[in-house]
Amino acid sequence: MIRIAIVEDDTGYRSQLGKYIDQYQSDFSETVSVSEFSDGLEIVEKYKSEYDIILMDIQMKHMDGMQAAMRIRDMDKNVIIIFITNSAQFAVQGYKVEALDYVLKPIQYFAFSQVLHNAVKKYMENPSSIYI
C-alpha cells in the first residue's frame, strides 16, 4: 500500500487530487491510502514518518509548502515530495528539499498520473523508505 498525504488549502483542488488518486488506483491497480491536510503547519505539527509520497501545495496561509517541506525533510529523508502549484517560479527552491517533481495548476489527470506513477516507481525502488 502506498501512503499519500495531500497538503492543499483549496478544498476544490484537494477533492480533485483525491479523485485523481482514486482513478490512478483503478488505472494502475495500486492500493493507496490518503490523508488530507489543509495547511503546511497542520502536517508539520502532526508529522510522523508514515507517508511515502506528499503532494504539497506551495502557497498556503499559515505555513507555505516550501517551509513545510524543509521541516519535513529534517524529520524524514525518504518521503517523496511533489509540489502542486500555480507557479513554476518555486522550482529552483525545490532542489533544496529534493522534490521529485512539480504539477502545475490547473491539474490535468494525465500529467498528474505520470508524475504519481514515477513517484510510485521511485518508492518501490527504495527499500529504505518501506515501513514495516
Side-chain angles (χ1 to χ4, degrees), residues 23-53:
Q23 186 175 345
Y24 177 85
Q25 288 184 90
S26 176
D27 291 350
F28 291 91
S29 300
E30 291 287 349
T31 303
V32 178
S33 132
V34 176
S35 298
E36 295 183 3
F37 300 89
S38 61
D39 191 81
L41 185 60
E42 184 182 1
I43 191 171
V44 166
E45 288 180 340
K46 298 176 182 179
Y47 194 78
K48 296 177 187 164
S49 296
E50 61 188 355
Y51 303 108
D52 306 308
I53 300 168

Side-chain angles (χ1 to χ4, degrees), residues 87-99:
S87 175
Q89 72 186 19
F90 298 102
V92 174
Q93 293 177 357
Y95 288 108
K96 293 178 185 176
V97 295
E98 299 177 32

Side-chain angles (χ1 to χ4, degrees), residues 1-3 51-53 73 76-81 98 100 117-132:
M1 177 183 322
I2 308 296
R3 292 163 297 196
Y51 303 108
D52 306 308
I53 300 168
R73 198 46 91 208
D76 188 345
K77 301 290 184 206
N78 294 318
V79 68
I80 296 168
I81 299 172
E98 299 177 32
L100 178 66
H117 192 63
N118 288 338
V120 169
K121 285 192 320 189
K122 180 176 177 158
Y123 162 74
M124 294 296 191
E125 292 169 0
N126 185 2
S128 67
S129 68
I130 298 174
Y131 311 106
I132 298 174

Side-chain angles (χ1 to χ4, degrees), residues 46-68:
K46 298 176 182 179
Y47 194 78
K48 296 177 187 164
S49 296
E50 61 188 355
Y51 303 108
D52 306 308
I53 300 168
I54 298 175
L55 304 174
M56 179 87 72
D57 185 19
I58 291 183
Q59 296 173 312
M60 293 180 283
K61 185 176 180 179
H62 299 290
M63 179 183 287
D64 70 48
M66 197 58 67
Q67 291 174 330

